[in-house]
Amino acid sequence: MNEKFQWKAKRERKAFIALADGAVFHGYAFGEKKDTVGEAVFNTGMAGYKQILTDPSYAGQFVVFTTAEVGAYATNFEKSESRQIFLNGIVVNSLDWVSKELNEESLHDYMLAQKKAGIAGVDTRALTLHLREHGAQKAYLHVEDTEMTEAEAIAKAKAWEGLDGQDYASKVSDPNGYEFNDEGKYHIVALDFGIKTNILRNLAAQDMRITVMPIGTSYEMIMEQKPDGVFLSNGPADPNSLPQVYNMVKQLLGKIPLMGICLGNQLLGLALGAKVSKLKFGHHGCNHPVKNLLTGAVEITSQNHNYAIDETSLPADVEVTHINLNDNTVEGIRHKKFPAFSVQYHPESAPGPNDSMYLFEEFKKMIEAFKGGKNA
């Protein structure tokens, strides 16, 4: 019996994921043998599991993959979006195997190396429909060999504090900061709240030299760098838990061009005086239609967030530039006087379509206009 089938024969280590509302879904465990809590959300992307796994915005969450098979290609992470996996675990329907004869690492082995748990054999369609109806759920993933009743797991899920009001961005931000590249006409400070590597690649492609700085960076530390622009990155959990950050962003307004993505969009909104609230089950996937209100074009976008700006709370000097065509939530804002804009989705994709990559060029144009003494 070859290694592939030996592993399959041993995989009947029964496991289950229990939601705080009492629903339980059974399967078999893979990866790390360690029980854990997390918030269950579903991702509707059909490919790109490697990039999804390494997106720091999933910190504290269990990602339920709606695509039927996961792991059919290897976890050679040349396109990794961060330095490690930050999510708490994954839920899949069919876990595929990659042959060791091709010298490729399986998803099972990669999750072991990263000390992260997974559960396969789950009816992920039923679980996704449950989350759509009842919302993102606190959950408990039982994968250990020890005995545990469903009632005990449900109680542990209920008892967990969850992600609301929690600062997970500080947990994923690189505390040391770093220089991403050493060449570029424009110098950008990118604030790392859980920044994806493909964002940095796209900024660098716009002739930008990028200094990545951690979440605790002050206004004075940023201005000491004499940057041409400041980028506010994506990141996990609740933006309302970061008053020190959005108050610092408020100091930057009007003094330097700003661009934000995802959590950066929410933090810019909070700095401008808007309110940010949690969505029922969030947006997670790479097939979300967004309308650009400035051009009328519809973009297919990659998204990963649980919170959104409340449009009715935006001040008069801020305009909505993009909306989600699935639920009409705010997907982009722009200040009418200051050089500052942001979007809720991920124009860098990874994974996802490239419809929105023009936004990085828009940031460069804003910088050029600002340096030329014009309001972008």
Side-chain angles (χ1 to χ4, degrees):
M1 182 182 292
N2 65 32
E3 185 177 3
K4 172 179 177 179
F5 292 103
Q6 285 179 336
W7 182 82
K8 283 189 174 182
K10 294 177 181 179
R11 75 184 187 183
E12 299 303 326
R13 180 158 52 93
K14 293 182 179 180
F16 62 82
I17 182 168
L19 308 185
D21 66 2
V24 178
F25 296 83
H26 290 264
Y28 61 88
F30 68 95
E32 181 77 356
K33 290 185 178 181
K34 185 176 181 181
D35 287 7
T36 185
V37 290
E39 181 181 69
V41 299
F42 59 89
N43 184 294
T44 56
M46 300 303 291
Y49 82 89
K50 296 185 295 184
Q51 292 92 335
I52 292 168
L53 282 176
T54 54
D55 182 348
S57 294
Y58 282 116
Q61 295 180 320
F62 296 132
V63 177
V64 180
F65 285 87
T66 60
T67 187
E69 293 195 13
V70 179
Y73 50 93
T75 57
N76 49 341
F77 271 69
E78 76 283 353
K79 292 185 178 179
S80 176
E81 289 302 312
S82 65
R83 62 191 183 277
Q84 67 182 75
I85 293 180
F86 289 102
L87 52 73
N88 285 16
I90 61 174
V91 183
V92 303
N93 177 264
S94 176
L95 176 66
D96 215 326
W97 176 267
V98 175
S99 172
K100 289 299 184 70
E101 295 175 0
L102 300 176
N103 296 316
E104 296 176 325
E105 187 177 34
S106 71
L107 176 56
H108 167 68
D109 290 329
Y110 181 73
M111 295 291 282
L112 274 176
Q114 291 283 312
K115 301 186 184 304
K116 298 293 182 179
I119 182 171
V122 174
D123 185 346
T124 51
R125 175 174 291 187
L127 176 51
T128 297
L129 290 173
H130 185 88
L131 295 174
R132 279 184 59 87
E133 182 177 352
H134 300 282
Q137 293 281 322
K138 294 192 295 182
Y140 187 87
L141 180 60
H142 175 55
V143 294
E144 294 178 4
D145 293 326
T146 56
E147 292 293 328
M148 174 175 284
T149 67
E150 293 181 0
E152 289 172 331
I154 293 168
K156 287 179 178 292
K158 288 180 178 179
W160 180 50
E161 63 187 6
L163 299 183
D164 294 354
Q166 302 301 311
D167 172 12
Y168 272 65
S170 295
K171 297 180 180 182
V172 302
S173 177
D174 189 325
N176 301 313
Y178 53 94
E179 299 292 331
F180 179 74
N181 60 331
D182 56 11
E183 293 184 354
K185 182 178 180 180
Y186 305 107
H187 180 208
I188 303 301
V189 166
L191 294 176
D192 176 15
F193 313 135
I195 197 164
K196 290 173 63 182
T197 303
N198 207 40
I199 289 174
L200 299 172
R201 296 187 193 105
N202 277 278
L203 290 171
Q206 294 298 325
D207 202 12
M208 296 177 180
R209 176 171 64 87
I210 307 154
T211 300
V212 180
M213 302 184 76
I215 190 170
T217 302
S218 67
Y219 169 79
E220 291 75 18
M221 294 166 67
I222 293 171
M223 299 310 287
E224 283 175 6
Q225 294 286 327
K226 296 181 170 56
D228 297 305
V230 173
F231 180 83
L232 311 173
S233 87
N234 63 292
D238 189 347
N240 296 294
S241 70
L242 301 171
Q244 76 282 10
V245 179
Y246 60 75
N247 284 326
M248 181 274 294
V249 174
K250 190 182 299 184
Q251 291 180 277
L252 294 170
L253 282 167
K255 299 181 179 69
I256 194 164
L258 300 174
M259 176 183 177
I261 286 177
C262 195
L263 180 63
N265 173 67
Q266 298 157 8
L267 291 170
L268 179 59
L270 289 166
L272 293 168
K275 295 180 180 179
V276 175
S277 57
K278 191 171 185 179
L279 299 171
K280 183 177 181 180
F281 47 79
H283 300 156
H284 310 279
C286 51
N287 52 2
H288 289 252
V290 166
K291 185 174 183 178
N292 184 329
L293 299 179
L294 304 178
T295 66
V298 175
E299 304 163 21
I300 303 303
T301 67
S302 180
Q303 305 208 7
N304 180 16
H305 61 100
N306 274 13
Y307 294 81
I309 292 172
D310 180 354
E311 182 175 0
T312 62
S313 69
L314 285 167
D317 53 5
V318 178
E319 66 176 327
V320 175
T321 58
H322 300 75
I323 60 167
N324 190 299
L325 293 180
N326 286 333
D327 59 12
N328 292 315
T329 51
V330 174
E331 291 283 358
I333 58 173
R334 183 175 71 174
H335 201 281
K336 295 178 181 178
K337 298 178 182 177
F338 300 146
F341 77 95
S342 58
V343 291
Q344 185 57 66
Y345 53 96
H346 285 261
E348 83 287 350
S349 61
N354 299 329
D355 297 23
S356 308
M357 284 192 174
Y358 67 89
L359 289 166
F360 295 102
E361 184 177 3
E362 291 296 315
F363 187 35
K364 180 171 73 171
K365 290 178 180 177
M366 176 179 283
I367 290 170
E368 290 171 342
F370 187 78
K371 290 175 71 70
K374 299 176 183 179
N375 182 15

